Amino acid sequence: MNFYAIKSIYSFEMARFFRTLAQSLISPVLSTSLYFIVFGAAIGSRIEEVDGVSYGAFIIPGLIMLSLLTQSISNASFGIYFPKFIGSIYELHTAPVSYVEIVLGYVGAAASKSALIGLVILGTATFFVDFTILHPVAMLAFLLLTSVTFSLFGFIIGIWSKNFEQLQMVPLLVITPLVFLGGSFYSVSMLPPFWQTVTMFNPVVYLISGFRWAFFGTADVNIGLSLTMITVFMLLCLGLIGWTYKTGYKIKS
Amino acid sequence: MTTTTAFVDRVRRPAHLAVADLFISFFEKTIMAAILSIQNLSKQYDSGFQALKNVNLEIEEGEILALLGPNGAGKTTLISIICGLVNATSGTATVGGFDVVDEFRKARSLIGLVPQEISLEPFQTVTNALHFSRGLFGKGRDPALIEDILKKLSLWDKRDSKVVELSGGMKRRVLIAKALCHEPRVLFLDEPTAGVDVELRKEMWEVVRQLKADGVTIILTTHYIEEAEAIADRIGVIRSGELLLVEDKDLLMRRMGQRQIRIELMQPIDRIPDALASYNLEYSEEDQSLTYSYEANGERTGITALFSDLGKAGLILRDVETRQSSLEDIFVGLVEDK
Ligand SMILES: Nc1ncnc2c1ncn2[C@@H]1O[C@H](COP(=O)(O)OP(=O)(O)OP(=O)(O)O)[C@@H](O)[C@H]1O
Ligand SMILES: [Mg+2]
């Protein structure tokens, strides 16, 4: 294992994040604040408690998830797509590194960034609502697990994308709808039975539900099931990355 | 002699001879083993295009090989396969005895690559770019080494500049610096002096010579034939994916090179006298001169006979001049007529 290589890639990626720290943080913090003002304060005051939690607090886990997913995917996909686009990726492929080091470096950095942003949003939330986190360790674990898993997913999008349009399509067309329909702003139990069944095919439901359990101890689905789903998705991503590099699919001619 | 018979011989012979055998096989390994060995390498791209056709090449440690060939000949493809950027369709390559696919970590640790295209992270500073490269190759920071490399390549003044702020020639030198900062034993330079001004090109040749003096093996591609003439030990010529020849530069120039004698006459002539027909002379009316071409390494050059026949034909000479064909003439001849 080439640890210097992992460190080089990781610190290079993190340096980019800190160089543009303001941009990296302002947009997620701003949009979350807007959500809190609109959904939490304006609309939320007219909505009764959900599962014994005030509506403002209820949407926190979903909002953080929304940022975690979009940030993980965009950071990781951009991180590996950009060197591919400008050609500087030649250096990775001529260095004594295997895909394991490349993935650890890029995905590690992307996951670190989005986990940081998630925590900043959590901090922002404390300015708008009062809440206590029931299972802080589980909350952190879920946050990290989600960041890593979706950074892996973003990495795949980055190496498979042929152009910038493809790079942006998946987060825009797939992730955002899944998160909105995944119970960020409501409890699945509020839906009619038919839509409840449909919702169960949305993988994001399991993430948000598990994350909400870590905060408030209540969930739409069993926490064990949530963990299983995210682990399965992570293994799927790992398998795909391994296969991509083994076969050189879209990497080498 | 195959390995098994060698082994049997060794067993049957007295002990002191067996020891001698061991020494011999050790030296065979160290001296004979080429640092780079390419066997039956072929590449067909997904488009169906055959870019390399059964290339075989051995390169000794410490030599400078210049690969010449027209655009699209397959030079970059060959380099890319050895460096791990392109998969070969068939055949093998080893660097330092390590297979470039099966033992890629060991092989690649020995290799530095300066790609043909300028491809650099635009917002990194020059120094950071070098630290990054060294790290990728599994080596710890070494600011002194990096300072040394930057100075050698006249980039020291630009060490804190972002790559995007550099000129094209400077960017190319950053690429070279990046390839050097993990102290490679084999360096591939894919058109290293494209877009570099004349003075800097000479400076870079000096860098290449220094690297050679340090024992680094260098494979370079170039379209400037005077570059190959100036620094290469051996010349390889590729055309349409085939390695047409690989030969010692001096030998090649002696073997393939033609010499010419230009003979200026005192008076113009209407036609070349019949007595001189066998020499295939060319007459130029413009400067009243005859040109005689001969193989530089021919057994008999025919010069003595020519001069005596010139005298017999009654021609009076004003001046005589000889010239030798350059590598460029040889190269153009090779690529065109095969
Ligand atoms: N990825 C690819 N897919 C299909 N064909 C390719 C690919 N890369 C190169 N080729 C083809 O292979 C041939 C050899 O290309 P290569 O880049 O090795 O040439 P070269 O000798 O380096 O030329 P130049 O002097 O212009 O750099 C060319 O005909 C090129 O079109
Ligand atoms: Mg080329």
Side-chain angles (χ1 to χ4, degrees):
Chain A
M1 185 73 92
N2 183 345
F3 290 104
Y4 279 114
I6 302 172
K7 190 176 151 242
S8 272
I9 297 172
Y10 184 87
S11 25
F12 170 73
E13 283 294 303
M14 291 312 275
R16 174 162 51 209
F17 177 68
F18 287 113
R19 203 165 47 219
T20 55
L21 190 64
Q23 283 144 277
S24 309
L25 289 181
I26 280 178
S27 102
V29 168
L30 184 73
S31 59
T32 320
S33 303
L34 290 176
Y35 280 122
F36 275 123
I37 293 166
V38 175
F39 288 104
I43 301 176
S45 56
R46 311 197 171 198
I47 298 179
E48 10 177 330
E49 293 190 340
V50 186
D51 297 341
V53 182
S54 81
Y55 187 69
F58 177 82
I59 62 173
I60 294 171
L63 283 179
I64 296 177
M65 267 300 158
L66 178 66
S67 284
L68 281 189
L69 299 200
T70 47
Q71 289 291 329
S72 299
I73 290 175
S74 69
N75 283 329
S77 60
F78 186 78
I80 190 71
Y81 181 78
F82 190 62
K84 207 174 77 166
F85 177 69
I86 60 171
S88 63
I89 201 164
Y90 84 87
E91 220 182 355
L92 285 180
H93 292 154
T94 55
V97 296
S98 74
Y99 72 92
V100 178
E101 285 104 344
I102 298 179
V103 169
L104 282 173
Y106 279 103
V107 171
S112 306
K113 288 181 217 175
S114 50
L116 263 172
I117 291 173
L119 289 175
V120 169
I121 290 174
L122 185 62
T124 313
T126 57
F127 291 106
F128 294 92
V129 257
D130 290 326
F131 60 94
T132 45
I133 302 169
L134 219 56
H135 310 286
V137 179
M139 189 279 292
L140 270 181
F142 237 92
L143 186 110
L144 288 176
L145 200 60
T146 309
S147 303
V148 170
T149 304
F150 282 82
S151 295
L152 285 168
F153 185 57
F155 186 85
I156 296 175
I157 296 172
I159 36 178
W160 285 8
S161 290
K162 285 209 191 85
N163 48 48
F164 277 102
E165 285 71 35
Q166 290 183 358
L167 200 64
Q168 283 163 344
M169 217 152 68
V170 176
L172 205 69
L173 292 185
V174 182
I175 297 303
T176 314
L178 284 185
V179 176
F180 272 89
L181 301 176
S184 306
F185 300 108
Y186 54 85
S187 167
V188 175
S189 58
M190 292 155 117
L191 293 173
F194 170 75
W195 289 107
Q196 281 192 30
T197 316
V198 172
T199 297
M200 284 304 130
F201 289 98
N202 178 355
V204 176
V205 166
Y206 300 91
L207 293 177
I208 294 180
S209 166
F211 203 41
R212 193 170 282 145
W213 172 87
F215 274 80
F216 308 121
T218 57
D220 290 328
V221 290
N222 183 288
I223 174 70
L225 188 59
S226 288
L227 274 175
T228 312
M229 290 299 275
I230 188 162
T231 312
V232 166
F233 190 56
M234 179 156 88
L235 293 178
L236 201 71
C237 290
L238 281 173
L240 264 179
I241 291 176
W243 175 83
T244 304
Y245 272 93
K246 285 254 154 61
T247 56
Y249 177 73
K250 299 208 178 194
I251 296 177
K252 281 188 196 183
S253 44
Chain B
M1 188 163 63
T2 64
T3 346
T4 35
T5 57
F7 177 74
V8 173
D9 281 350
R10 206 170 287 160
V11 172
R12 284 203 207 111
R13 293 162 79 185
H16 67 280
L17 284 182
V19 173
D21 274 351
L22 276 179
F23 267 105
I24 289 167
S25 73
F26 173 75
F27 279 114
E28 268 179 358
K29 280 216 182 76
T30 48
I31 296 175
M32 303 299 284
I35 185 109
L36 173 65
S37 168
I38 297 167
Q39 256 124 38
N40 305 323
L41 206 65
S42 292
K43 173 65 189 178
Q44 183 168 26
Y45 280 108
D46 293 339
S47 62
F49 186 83
Q50 187 84 27
L52 286 179
K53 297 167 190 161
N54 204 34
V55 171
N56 287 285
L57 179 62
E58 302 262 308
I59 297 173
E60 300 290 315
E61 181 145 26
E63 74 170 322
I64 302 181
L65 176 85
L67 277 178
L68 302 177
N71 287 136
K75 304 178 294 291
T76 302
T77 303
L78 180 63
I79 291 178
S80 301
I81 291 176
I82 301 166
C83 295
L85 293 170
V86 169
N87 291 324
T89 310
S90 62
T92 54
T94 60
V95 174
F98 303 114
D99 188 278
V100 295
V101 178
D102 297 336
E103 298 162 290
F104 72 93
R105 280 183 201 270
K106 285 177 182 158
R108 288 185 200 169
S109 303
L110 302 173
I111 301 177
L113 168 68
V114 180
Q116 179 172 5
E117 308 273 333
I118 294 180
S119 1
L120 291 162
E121 279 284 344
F123 303 112
Q124 236 178 352
T125 65
V126 172
T127 308
N128 282 345
L130 299 201
H131 283 306
F132 177 78
S133 299
R134 192 174 160 83
L136 273 190
F137 279 78
K139 297 198 164 176
R141 285 183 163 244
D142 188 344
L145 175 86
I146 282 172
E147 177 175 340
D148 188 46
I149 291 172
L150 285 174
K151 284 183 174 160
K152 263 189 200 158
L153 288 163
S154 322
L155 282 169
W156 183 242
D157 296 343
K158 297 287 174 188
R159 62 188 179 278
D160 295 323
S161 304
K162 285 186 184 142
V163 168
V164 69
E165 299 159 358
L166 302 181
S167 77
M170 292 173 190
K171 284 183 193 148
R172 193 163 289 282
R173 277 177 283 145
V174 173
L175 281 181
I176 299 177
K178 275 167 87 78
L180 290 179
C181 57
H182 67 278
E183 301 154 282
R185 302 304 304 153
V186 180
L187 183 64
F188 290 91
L189 298 162
D190 202 349
E191 299 193 25
T193 54
V196 173
D197 67 43
V198 180
E199 199 172 320
L200 264 172
R201 190 175 301 160
K202 298 249 159 79
E203 266 178 45
M204 271 157 66
W205 293 354
E206 207 35 60
V207 173
V208 169
R209 289 196 191 100
Q210 270 178 34
L211 287 168
K212 179 189 156 79
D214 297 340
V216 178
T217 309
I218 294 153
I219 294 97
L220 70 100
T221 74
T222 179
H223 287 286
Y224 300 108
I225 297 180
E226 77 263 26
E227 184 160 284
E229 217 169 323
I231 54 177
D233 298 316
R234 279 205 300 166
I235 309 281
V237 178
I238 298 195
R239 203 201 50 173
S240 311
E242 280 176 278
L243 197 56
L244 297 181
L245 76 96
V246 184
E247 208 166 295
D248 185 87
K249 179 186 68 187
D250 297 329
L251 261 173
L252 179 71
M253 292 182 61
R254 235 177 297 148
R255 188 168 69 81
M256 307 287 289
Q258 283 215 323
R259 278 174 170 276
Q260 291 181 326
I261 300 183
R262 199 176 133 270
I263 302 153
E264 220 174 292
L265 304 174
M266 287 298 272
Q267 263 127 34
I269 50 173
D270 296 335
R271 49 186 289 270
I272 298 169
D274 291 338
L276 300 173
S278 62
Y279 295 102
N280 291 323
L281 299 174
E282 279 168 56
Y283 179 67
S284 150
E285 288 188 358
E286 209 175 308
D287 52 2
Q288 309 171 21
S289 73
L290 290 163
T291 303
Y292 172 59
S293 305
Y294 62 98
E295 300 281 325
N297 63 334
E299 229 159 64
R300 308 185 58 121
T301 57
I303 299 173
T304 323
L306 171 69
F307 278 89
S308 116
D309 286 345
L310 281 171
K312 280 183 201 152
L315 299 178
I316 303 166
L317 318 185
R318 184 206 291 275
D319 199 5
V320 174
E321 180 190 52
T322 65
R323 65 177 284 270
Q324 176 160 19
S325 54
S326 64
L327 189 55
E328 174 142 14
D329 303 327
I330 299 172
F331 171 70
V332 170
L334 258 176
V335 171
E336 274 174 358
D337 63 43
K338 287 226 174 171

